[in-house]
Amino acid sequence: MVSKVSVTVFSVFALCLVFADALPRLPSQRRCRCIDQAEELQPSMRISNVKIFFKQRLCQNIEIIVNLQDRRRMCLNPDSRVGRKMIALMRKRMNQ
């Protein structure tokens, strides 16, 4: 009986070590950040920051994340009129 318990405890301990070693190797981003996307921004929305993520290995979409001054975040559709303008502005700034 003691040997079955010790084998079980040893197995659980070994599995914990294997998973603890594998955790740093897992990708930090597993999927796209944006699920729901807005088409327009309201004039009353005050933007504090804009982040644009271009296509990556784990997400094949262009994502625009807008941080508002009231601490809300929203995703903007990159195919919308405002989204295309933001992408063009970012590319223009990167080329300067």
Side-chain angles (χ1 to χ4, degrees):
M1 187 72 175
V2 174
S3 64
K4 288 183 180 180
V5 171
S6 62
V7 169
T8 304
V9 169
F10 178 74
S11 299
V12 169
F13 182 71
L15 284 174
C16 288
L17 287 176
V18 168
F19 285 120
D21 185 44
L23 273 178
R25 297 181 189 154
L26 293 175
S28 61
Q29 175 191 1
R30 295 184 184 152
R31 59 179 173 82
C32 296
R33 294 172 180 89
C34 295
I35 297 171
D36 295 326
Q37 297 177 344
E39 296 292 324
E40 294 280 328
L41 293 174
Q42 302 297 326
S44 62
M45 294 180 175
R46 306 191 92 177
I47 298 173
S48 66
N49 190 8
V50 176
K51 293 181 183 177
I52 298 177
F53 297 95
F54 292 101
K55 294 180 181 180
Q56 299 174 357
R57 180 176 54 93
L58 298 171
C59 180
Q60 297 300 315
N61 303 331
I62 297 175
E63 298 178 310
I64 303 173
I65 299 176
V66 178
N67 293 327
L68 304 175
Q69 286 183 351
D70 61 358
R71 298 184 185 207
R72 289 187 299 159
R73 286 185 179 175
M74 62 184 301
C75 291
L76 190 61
N77 184 356
D79 296 325
S80 67
R81 183 179 54 86
V82 177
R84 286 192 307 265
K85 283 185 178 181
M86 284 192 180
I87 291 172
L89 180 67
M90 183 64 74
R91 285 189 174 152
K92 185 178 177 182
R93 284 189 179 183
M94 288 174 62
N95 291 332
Q96 288 182 350

